[in-house]
Amino acid sequence: MIVAFSVSPSGPAPDAGRPAEAADSPSSAPSDSVHEAVAAAVRIVRESGLPNRTSSMFTEIEGEWDEVMLVVKRATEAVGRYGSRVSLVLKADIRPGHTGELTGKVERLERAIASQGAEPAGG
């Protein structure tokens, strides 16, 4: 399965669970940026060893249901240290028996685009 997810904090960070380096840094002032929290989540994903890719809006991860959902849970918990609430958006492509689809789907798409480019314009 492939899961694309986005997780971000909102609200004030709880003092007790806030990372020490964030509490002492100049970036601990209120900001509309959530890059530190997102970095904590992406670090969890990358350390999982599962195939993954991060874009400006989502992180995708591929694996079996239980292992992927455990990583999403851990990433969500990491982000929770940066705010009093957490928003999680998740989309899953569940296709048993298929692996390598994180790159395979994109490769098939690129081939289709290239083959369409070879056709004469105007049909």
Side-chain angles (χ1 to χ4, degrees):
M1 84 183 296
I2 298 172
V3 168
F5 75 103
S6 173
V7 60
S8 63
S10 62
D15 290 335
R18 194 164 183 197
E21 63 276 7
D24 297 330
S25 71
S27 63
S28 64
S31 168
D32 62 351
S33 179
V34 294
H35 66 273
E36 293 289 335
V38 172
V42 172
R43 188 175 312 109
I44 300 268
V45 172
R46 290 181 180 173
E47 289 173 355
S48 75
L50 295 174
N52 66 84
R53 173 175 45 219
T54 299
S55 69
S56 61
M57 300 269 306
F58 284 92
T59 293
E60 298 170 322
I61 184 168
E62 183 175 17
E64 296 298 319
W65 179 279
D66 289 340
E67 61 188 0
V68 168
M69 289 303 175
L70 179 60
V71 173
V72 171
K73 178 182 180 185
R74 290 184 59 227
T76 302
E77 291 170 345
V79 168
R81 293 191 303 266
Y82 291 84
S84 57
R85 297 177 83 162
V86 175
S87 173
L88 172 65
V89 176
L90 186 140
K91 181 177 181 178
D93 180 2
I94 304 164
R95 196 170 180 200
H98 289 80
T99 60
E101 290 297 285
L102 193 63
T103 57
K105 290 174 80 166
V106 176
E107 290 167 357
R108 289 189 299 276
L109 172 66
E110 293 298 334
R111 283 194 301 269
I113 291 169
S115 70
Q116 289 176 0
E119 296 177 13

